[in-house]
């Protein structure tokens, strides 16, 4: 009995710990300006979409959402194009220097992007990539690629090579067998890592702020505009950032678990 | 259906010689078992025949077609994998029919053959299930059904029974053998289990360290092992090996070793030999060659008793006698064997000496 009580107290404490800031952000984002600055009110008299509307349409928020999505999609596409074969090779083949390569990939994760950002903008200015969607996408690819290589390699090593060999014995080429046998089996994990990559790109703010001036991704745009605005705008911006990520996680939580589950093997 | 000819096949992994010059011919419709300890190269040989492993040198022929450098898909083979490799994202029906689908057979034909194969393996009622809903034994049947659905030229099996429990293994052993005879398909079967090899194979190829040691029927390999490796590997418990000196006085030859005197009819022509005698050929009581031994350990299998004993100089000797017997540790017993049952080997080359 006592154990049960403590269990529920713990559950409530953890829920409150994580949910309070989110609830407060959402509340503040939809609170009218006069209620927000009224010290005697916590619960607003009514809810308003005014801040969100202004942010989206008067301050070009929708434009940066599109840019954010573009950047993320290009970055994911490029990372998977390069990272998937690399991850497959890491999982299936033995070759000289495999450990060294693995370690190097891991090391790149430990270098903060902000360190790379300044040299990067210098190069970008020379080749004409500064302030472009592609430029940010390339920088995000550099951030996502090591993650994709490591995760896909652990996903592929979780799938028995005999499935693929059986495909080859029964009439497929190696590549066909990869596409028709291994890929469908890896799909849940791959989908999860794609979504995780999306969120990594969606949340990245420093590089995007440094590399662009007019073509800003959503977080960079918010950092630039909302920081100079009243508080309720900041909260509305927070909602804009959080909602897509939350929706993604909600629909894909099963796959996310499977991704980490496989990688823990 | 095909005759398989392997000529001087070599496969090196860097310095390691996984296959070191294998030459072997397998008749059309024959059931050949590759037998050997782990790491002897038997699986590498099977994978080379399948095409999943490329070879360093040598040739593989199916009938008179050189398949050495063909992809697995172009060899008209099929395979049962150790882990079964039944594709988890397809229903049993689709698993079995997939080889036919790849090759572009019509739907009706696929349906007909899948039904036939499922019927052969007694899994007709499982066709609409996913592999995750099947037991290990059922998954294995699916793997075999998939392997036979398309009349392969050569059927390859890589330790297919090793993941089954003991009872099921015995049952599947006879079923697989019967199935192979019915289909008449040339089969290469890899195992490290000598009971499987003895009961299933038309011929057995014993391998060690990348080399073929002996190819022959179970009887040939048991009764006339060509060297000490084969003699020691086949048979359980392992054959006893006694070193002995040849003493000849003109009229007769006696092998003397570890206090045991073995008279033989013809001189082996060597000063020293290794005498091999199987535990099941050593009995209790006096006989042609008798000796005293001290029991130090017994294993009772009820249908038989395995006696571990030491000779007078401390050399261990193992005997297996039928029935359930009781011995005390330290008990002295008289044992004997017949000279007909001994095998002689050259201690240097470890090869058999014909007498």
């Amino acid at each position: 009995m006592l154990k049960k009580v403590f269990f529920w107290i713990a559950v409530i404490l953890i829920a409150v710990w994580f949910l309070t800031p989110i609830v407060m952000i959402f509340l503040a984002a939809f609170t009218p300006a006069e209620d927000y600055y009224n010290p005697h009110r916590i619960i607003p008299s009514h809810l308003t979409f005014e801040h969100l509307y202004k942010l989206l349409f008067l301050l070009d928020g929708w434009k940066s959402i599109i840019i954010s999505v573009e950047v993320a999609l290009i970055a994911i596409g490029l990372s998977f194009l390069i990272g998937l074969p690399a991850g497959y090779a890491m999982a299936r083949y033995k070759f000289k220097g495999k450990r060294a390569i693995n370690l190097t990939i891991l090391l790149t994760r430990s270098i903060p992007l902000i360190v790379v950002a300044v040299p990067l903008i210098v190069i970008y200015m020379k080749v004409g990539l500064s302030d472009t969607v592609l430029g940010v996408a390339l920088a995000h690819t550099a951030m996502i690629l090591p993650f994709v290589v490591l995760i896909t390699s652990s996903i592929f090593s979780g799938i028995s090579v005999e499935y693929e060999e059986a495909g080859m014995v029964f009439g497929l080429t190696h590549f066909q067998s990869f596409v028709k046998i291994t890929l469908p089996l890896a799909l849940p994990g791959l989908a999860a890592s794609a979504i995780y990559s999306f969120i990594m790109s969606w949340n990245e703010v420093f590089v995007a702020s440094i590399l662009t001036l007019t073509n800003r991704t959503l977080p960079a745009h918010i950092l630039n505009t909302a920081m100079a605005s009243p508080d309720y705008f900041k909260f509305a911006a927070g909602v804009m950032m959080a909602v897509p990520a939350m929706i993604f996680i909600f629909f894909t939580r099963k796959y996310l678990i499977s991704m980490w589950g496989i990688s823990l093997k | 259906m095909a005759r398989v000819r392997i000529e001087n096949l070599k496969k090196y992994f860097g310095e390691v010689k996984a296959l070191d010059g294998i030459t072997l011919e397998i008749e059309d419709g024959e059931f050949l078992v590759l037998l050997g300890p782990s790491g002897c190269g038997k699986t590498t040989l099977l994978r080379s025949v399948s095409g999943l492993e490329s070879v360093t040198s040598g040739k593989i022929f199916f009938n008179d077609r050189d398949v050495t450098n063909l992809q697995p898909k172009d060899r008209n083979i099929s395979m049962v994998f150790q882990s079964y490799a039944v594709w988890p994202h397809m229903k049993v029906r689709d698993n079995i029919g997939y080889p036919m689908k790849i090759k572009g057979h019509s739907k009706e034909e696929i349906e007909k053959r899948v039904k036939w194969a499922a019927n052969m393996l007694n899994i007709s009622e499982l066709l609409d299930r996913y592999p995750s809903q099947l037991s290990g034994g059922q998954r294995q049947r699916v793997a075999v059904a998939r392997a036979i659905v398309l009349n392969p030229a050569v059927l390859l099996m890589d330790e297919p029974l090793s993941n089954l429990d003991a009872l099921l293994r015995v049952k599947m052993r006879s079923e697989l053998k019967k199935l192979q005879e019915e289909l008449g398909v040339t089969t290469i079967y890899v195992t490290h289990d000598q009971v499987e090899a003895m009961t299933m194979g038309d011929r057995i190829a014993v391998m060690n360290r990348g080399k073929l040691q002996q190819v022959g029927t179970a009887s040939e390999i048991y009764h006339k092992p060509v060297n000490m490796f084969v003699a020691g590997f086949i048979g359980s418990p392992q054959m006893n090996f006694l070193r002995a000196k040849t003493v000849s006085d003109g009229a007769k030859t006696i092998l003397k070793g570890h206090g045991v005197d073995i008279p033989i009819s013809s001189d082996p022509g060597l000063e020293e030999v290794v005498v091999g005698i199987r535990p099941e050929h050593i009995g209790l009581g006096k006989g042609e060659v008798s000796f005293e031994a001290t029991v130090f350990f017994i294993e009772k299998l009820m249908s038989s008793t395995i006696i571990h004993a030491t000779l007078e100089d401390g050399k261990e000797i193992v005997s297996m006698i039928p029935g359930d017997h009781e011995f005390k540790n330290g008990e002295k017993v008289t044992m004997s064997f017949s000279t007909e049952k001994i095998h002689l080997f050259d201690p240097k080359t470890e090869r058999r000496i014909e007498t």
Side-chain angles (χ1 to χ4, degrees):
Chain A
M1 187 62 209
L2 207 64
K3 227 172 156 183
K4 227 175 179 179
V5 171
F6 276 117
F7 173 76
W8 283 109
I9 289 175
V11 167
I12 289 164
L13 275 178
I14 291 169
V16 166
W17 175 266
F18 281 103
L19 288 178
T20 309
I22 294 175
V23 170
M24 286 179 70
I25 290 170
F26 272 76
L27 213 58
F30 297 104
T31 303
E34 61 276 18
D35 282 0
Y36 184 82
Y37 287 116
N38 183 346
H40 304 296
R41 264 194 188 283
I42 297 170
I43 308 295
S45 58
H46 66 283
L47 295 177
T48 173
F49 283 96
E50 194 195 335
H51 314 315
L52 217 53
Y53 176 84
K54 279 185 181 160
L55 214 52
L56 275 174
F57 297 106
L58 300 182
L59 290 170
D60 281 347
W62 64 273
K63 203 182 131 198
S64 46
I65 288 179
I66 291 172
I67 290 172
S68 261
V69 171
E70 279 175 356
V71 165
L73 289 182
I74 295 172
I76 291 171
L78 283 175
S79 322
F80 273 75
L81 202 69
I82 307 165
L84 207 69
Y88 183 83
M90 288 292 208
R92 288 283 195 258
Y93 297 105
K94 280 186 200 142
F95 50 87
K96 262 203 180 130
K98 181 171 164 176
R99 274 178 63 93
I101 291 172
N102 223 329
L103 209 64
T104 314
I105 292 173
L106 208 61
L107 266 177
T108 60
R109 296 285 297 132
S110 69
I111 302 169
L113 264 185
I114 192 81
V115 175
V116 194
V118 177
L120 211 55
I121 184 74
V122 176
I123 298 170
Y124 274 17
M125 281 162 141
K126 280 184 189 157
V127 296
L129 274 174
S130 63
D131 200 16
T132 60
V133 170
L134 183 64
V136 183
L138 284 177
H140 282 188
T141 305
M143 169 181 74
I144 295 168
L145 185 58
F147 162 81
V148 170
V149 175
L150 294 177
I151 286 292
T152 53
S153 106
S154 76
I155 290 170
F156 286 133
S157 36
I159 297 168
S160 163
V161 67
E162 289 198 342
Y163 291 135
E164 207 169 290
E165 288 181 344
M168 288 163 71
V169 161
F170 291 114
L172 299 172
T173 62
H174 195 163
F175 183 70
Q176 284 172 332
S177 195
F178 170 73
V179 172
K180 291 189 175 170
I181 308 284
T182 308
L183 219 46
L185 292 173
L187 208 57
L190 295 181
S193 42
I195 284 152
Y196 195 80
S197 307
F198 186 93
I199 291 169
M200 276 168 88
S201 166
W202 178 266
N203 284 342
E204 198 289 316
V205 59
F206 290 113
V207 170
S209 310
I210 291 170
L211 294 183
T212 55
L213 273 175
T214 53
N215 285 317
R216 290 220 146 131
T217 61
L218 185 62
H221 180 68
I222 287 171
L223 192 69
N224 194 38
T225 55
M227 284 308 119
S229 312
D231 282 351
Y232 43 83
F233 271 122
K234 293 175 189 163
F235 286 120
V239 167
M240 267 167 65
M241 282 298 299
V243 164
M246 282 166 81
I247 292 173
F248 268 129
I249 300 266
F250 181 79
F251 282 109
T252 57
R253 59 195 194 283
K254 197 177 94 189
Y255 294 135
L256 279 174
I257 289 166
S258 86
M259 170 178 87
W260 297 117
I262 287 168
S263 70
L264 286 176
K265 257 185 198 167
Chain B
M1 310 298 124
R3 194 177 73 250
V4 178
R5 205 167 82 238
I6 297 163
E7 277 177 9
N8 199 21
L9 203 66
K10 290 183 182 165
K11 171 73 185 180
Y12 298 164
F13 294 105
E15 294 289 295
V16 183
K17 295 177 176 179
L19 296 177
D20 194 8
I22 303 278
T23 298
L24 180 63
E25 229 181 292
I26 303 153
E27 292 305 314
D28 189 6
E30 186 178 0
F31 195 122
L32 183 98
V33 176
L34 293 177
L35 178 67
S38 345
C40 72
K42 56 192 192 297
T43 296
T44 308
L45 180 55
L46 189 84
R47 289 172 60 86
S48 302
V49 175
S50 75
L52 290 171
E53 203 82 64
S54 64
V55 299
T56 309
S57 71
K59 294 244 175 263
I60 302 167
F61 295 92
F62 288 177
N63 291 328
D64 290 317
R65 192 164 74 117
D66 183 353
V67 299
T68 318
N69 296 313
L70 292 184
Q71 285 202 48
K73 71 183 182 72
D74 300 321
R75 297 189 181 201
N76 189 20
I77 47 157
S78 63
M79 190 156 168
V80 179
F81 291 84
Q82 186 172 4
S83 67
Y84 318 138
V86 174
W87 299 304
H89 59 307
M90 295 182 200
K91 284 183 176 169
V92 168
R93 179 189 304 281
D94 302 321
N95 255 292
I96 300 174
Y98 200 60
M100 295 186 76
K101 198 178 149 197
I102 296 170
K103 302 226 161 83
H105 290 259
S106 73
K107 270 197 170 153
E108 299 79 54
E109 209 180 334
I110 294 177
E111 183 66 27
K112 210 176 90 191
R113 290 291 291 179
V114 168
K115 271 193 181 147
W116 167 82
N119 205 26
M120 291 290 274
L121 274 303
N122 286 322
I123 47 169
S124 302
E125 70 285 358
L126 305 176
L127 284 178
D128 288 312
R129 295 213 197 152
Y130 279 100
S132 57
Q133 300 165 299
L134 304 179
S135 70
Q138 289 169 329
R139 250 178 258 184
Q140 215 233 346
R141 284 166 187 273
V142 176
V144 176
R146 179 178 66 182
I148 62 166
V149 76
L150 253 187
N151 277 331
V154 183
L155 176 59
L156 307 171
M157 300 205 216
D158 185 7
E159 311 216 14
L161 304 183
S162 60
N163 288 345
L164 299 180
D165 62 65
L167 261 176
L168 203 54
R169 205 178 308 163
V170 175
K171 188 162 169 258
M172 279 309 280
R173 218 155 64 195
S174 56
E175 267 190 53
L176 276 184
K177 176 68 184 157
K178 249 172 36 201
L179 185 75
Q180 189 270 341
E181 275 170 8
E182 222 166 297
L183 297 171
V185 56
T186 312
T187 303
I188 305 178
Y189 185 105
V190 164
T191 184
H192 62 264
D193 181 342
Q194 48 169 308
V195 182
E196 266 173 40
M198 295 283 188
T199 53
M200 297 175 82
D202 294 326
R203 279 192 308 158
I204 301 168
V206 184
M207 287 183 71
N208 190 34
R209 296 181 182 194
K211 285 192 160 120
L212 273 183
Q213 304 292 318
Q214 185 171 8
V215 185
T217 62
S219 158
E220 282 165 6
I221 282 174
Y222 179 82
H223 292 296
K224 288 207 182 304
V226 295
N227 58 30
M228 285 174 68
F229 172 79
V230 176
F233 191 72
I234 301 291
S236 173
Q238 207 187 18
M239 183 185 277
N240 295 293
F241 292 114
L242 305 172
R243 267 179 174 266
K245 283 205 154 46
T246 314
V247 180
S248 190
D249 65 352
K252 56 184 179 179
T253 309
I254 298 174
L255 302 175
K256 283 177 180 287
H258 301 285
V260 184
D261 291 356
I262 307 162
I264 53 170
S265 50
S266 63
D267 194 329
L270 285 171
E271 265 180 42
E272 220 182 36
V273 294
V274 172
V275 179
I277 177 80
R278 295 193 185 279
E280 55 268 40
H281 296 146
I282 301 178
L284 286 177
K286 284 208 172 296
E288 196 179 347
V289 179
S290 307
F291 56 91
E292 291 273 309
T294 313
V295 177
F296 71 91
F297 179 61
I298 60 166
E299 294 172 272
K300 294 186 3 151
L301 308 175
M302 296 308 148
S303 66
S304 59
T305 305
I306 300 168
I307 308 164
H308 297 256
T310 49
L311 296 173
E312 59 186 35
D313 64 345
K315 166 78 181 169
E316 282 179 27
I317 195 154
V318 180
S319 155
M320 184 163 71
I321 53 174
D324 173 17
H325 297 266
E326 198 64 62
F327 294 96
K328 280 200 258 325
N329 283 352
E331 190 177 335
K332 280 208 184 295
V333 290
T334 304
M335 293 179 169
S336 61
F337 56 83
S338 149
T339 51
E340 274 172 31
K341 298 291 187 188
I342 64 167
H343 307 262
L344 296 184
F345 300 98
D346 182 333
K348 285 203 191 75
T349 62
E350 303 203 338
R351 284 177 185 284
R352 179 184 189 83
I353 305 164
E354 284 302 335
T355 49

